[in-house]
Amino acid sequence: MDSSTLSRIGLAGLAVMGQNLALNIAEKGFPISVYNRTTSKVDETVDRAHREGSLPLTGQYSPREFVLSLQRPRSVIILVKAGNPVDQTIAALSDHMEPGDCIIDGGNEWYENTERRIQQISNKGILYLGMGVSGGEEGARNGPSLMPGGSYQAYSNIQDILMKVAAQVEDGPCVTYIGEGGAGNFVKMVHNGIEYGDMQLISEAYDVLKHVGGLSNSELADIFAEWNSGELESFLVEITADIFKVKDDIGDGYLVDKILDKTGMKGTGKWTVQQAAELSVAAPTIAASLDCRYLSGLKEERENASAVLKEAGLNEEAGFVKSGIDKKRLIDDVRQALYASKICSYAQGMNLLRAKSDEKGWNLNLGELARIWKGGCIIRAVFLDRIKKAYQRNPNLASLIVDPEFAKEMVQRQGAWRRVVGLAISAGISTPGMCASLAYFDTYRRARLPANLVQAQRDLFGAHTYERLDRPGAFHTEWTKIARQSGTGVAALN
Ligand SMILES: *[C@@H]1O[C@H](CO)[C@@H](O)[C@H](O)[C@H]1NC(C)=O
Ligand SMILES: *[C@@H]1O[C@H](CO)[C@@H](O)[C@H](O)[C@H]1NC(C)=O
């Protein structure tokens, strides 16, 4: 083949994300070859490229032809289901690749799988990137947030493409080299965990406004639209406003009220919580959002429980609109509670990233990660610019909560935050995400916790020893013996 007709890059795996990313790359002027085992997928993509503006995209029908249609060093993005399909695709393509070529996995892969593949394929001299891609279908087509990790050389080979293809914000394209090994996948995983938290917190704000405040769907649409022009401006708040506007097309009322209250999930949220536990990092808001998805899945059990507890005499008042509520005040309070809860959730996610970075030596730049999430991805929000600046001010910031600006905002909002959570609790409306965030804040900010008592208990039953506030060393006390000897001990009461 004449080298001038070779494509700059290739993409294999033409499901929704793959097709859209391929068209995006072609549209930015980079000739691309596409491949999928299912030939109809190739035809479909070629057809779309033609219809969407005669884009420089070529369909290929065998792994060999596909690989040979690329300029060297070859770069191939694969977008197939995580796990085995990735290994199969790598096997099919790498047979035809040469040392210096590169495979870029754009799926939501477990970071350790990427690290294993980096090792395996390095035997053939092939480079590898695990690249988080966020933004769904729309983002892939018009500008996603990209989180490439692995071989820096491989990143350099396609940096110009990634910079053009990524979402653009005022301080640059939403892509950066994340770090070695599985760093890109890991960062994408935590992004998704944060996304779980955001969605949970928004759903709680909705629940409180609807069930405590008695707001209608059209009022909710207006409130969320209004919030989207302030500190909460974000993709998720924007789409939430839209959701409340959609009428049911096969019945009366609004569509949102007809949707079964069972949440699906694909695993990145669970991984985030597992990793937090592995690294001893508290991530209660993200964990609460995961627990809520599990509980939502028990629809039938919850219906039964509702009936049993009603039978047992549970006050019907719980869960009903409070009379005499000041709607305007409630709406303003919920906005503040949502914002403060969100700061705590991001603080957890960022600290998880920091802990993993320290463990793996990834050298993650947290401010830069916040920056590349400002556009393209699902958690994109104006607020991420503030996070970026917080880490620019102090790259070693222990927690977002103690950044001077965020600290001020948390303090300003805590009254509203406590009112919302208190009101929800007394109304029997569960707000696990907001409660987890508030408890995280209150636990983190308190110089003294009741952990002294836990240490005493551990020393009593397990001789685990304890430290003292007033002198160094490990101490052990015969708690029971002393307590029961002394006149005021437990035994003396018998
Ligand atoms: C091709 O398409 C099918 C079905 O859409 C998919 O399951 C498969 O993983 C795709 N990828 C490749 C590389 O063949
Ligand atoms: C719910 O209750 C019904 C009727 O008692 C029972 O048949 C069903 O197994 C229960 N479901 C669950 C998931 O507990």
Side-chain angles (χ1 to χ4, degrees), residues 399-440:
S399 167
L400 285 176
I401 293 171
V402 295
D403 168 71
E405 288 202 5
F406 281 124
K408 208 182 300 161
E409 290 185 344
M410 306 281 300
V411 171
Q412 283 164 355
R413 284 158 186 76
Q414 65 159 336
W417 197 5
R418 292 182 200 284
R419 279 194 295 276
V420 169
V421 167
L423 208 54
I425 287 173
S426 69
I429 303 293
S430 53
T431 50
M434 286 187 185
C435 284
S437 275
L438 182 54
Y440 180 78

Side-chain angles (χ1 to χ4, degrees), residues 61-115:
Y61 297 88
S62 81
R64 184 171 181 276
E65 295 303 315
F66 171 61
V67 170
L68 295 183
S69 74
L70 306 175
Q71 284 173 25
R72 291 189 296 179
R74 305 180 180 96
S75 298
V76 179
I77 298 175
I78 59 178
L79 269 162
V80 297
K81 259 188 78 174
N84 270 339
V86 176
D87 290 307
Q88 285 160 14
T89 309
I90 292 171
L93 298 174
S94 61
D95 277 351
H96 312 287
M97 296 176 88
E98 294 170 274
D101 290 351
C102 174
I103 293 177
I104 303 119
D105 173 19
N108 270 329
E109 188 54 275
W110 172 236
Y111 82 99
E112 287 179 342
N113 285 344
T114 292
E115 302 199 329

Side-chain angles (χ1 to χ4, degrees), residues 87-236:
D87 290 307
Q88 285 160 14
T89 309
I90 292 171
L93 298 174
S94 61
D95 277 351
H96 312 287
M97 296 176 88
E98 294 170 274
D101 290 351
C102 174
I103 293 177
I104 303 119
D105 173 19
N108 270 329
E109 188 54 275
W110 172 236
Y111 82 99
E112 287 179 342
N113 285 344
T114 292
E115 302 199 329
R116 168 176 59 79
R117 289 172 188 139
I118 289 174
Q119 280 304 319
Q120 283 172 351
I121 207 151
S122 70
N123 296 334
K124 296 185 178 177
I126 296 175
L127 310 176
Y128 198 87
L129 287 172
M131 180 169 73
V133 180
S134 177
E137 189 178 339
E138 211 272 332
R141 180 66 183 88
N142 298 313
S145 175
L146 299 171
M147 294 154 251
S151 158
Y152 186 77
Q153 178 61 51
Y155 171 75
S156 310
N157 292 350
I158 55 166
Q159 188 184 18
D160 58 334
I161 302 178
L162 300 183
M163 302 260 254
K164 282 252 169 62
V165 163
Q168 308 291 319
V169 290
E170 79 285 353
D171 45 10
C174 292
V175 59
T176 191
Y177 174 70
I178 304 288
E180 290 182 348
N185 294 126
F186 194 90
V187 166
K188 174 64 187 345
M189 177 198 80
V190 174
H191 162 284
N192 286 20
I194 290 173
E195 179 185 312
Y196 273 51
D198 275 355
M199 293 169 78
Q200 175 64 28
L201 293 170
I202 289 173
S203 75
E204 291 173 17
Y206 155 61
D207 206 10
V208 170
L209 290 175
K210 182 183 165 91
H211 289 113
V212 180
L215 266 69
S216 67
N217 286 319
S218 70
E219 284 173 310
L220 286 162
D222 291 344
I223 296 306
F224 275 85
E226 190 187 312
W227 286 356
N228 196 42
S229 59
E231 66 194 9
L232 287 170
E233 182 182 338
S234 59
F235 173 69
L236 285 169

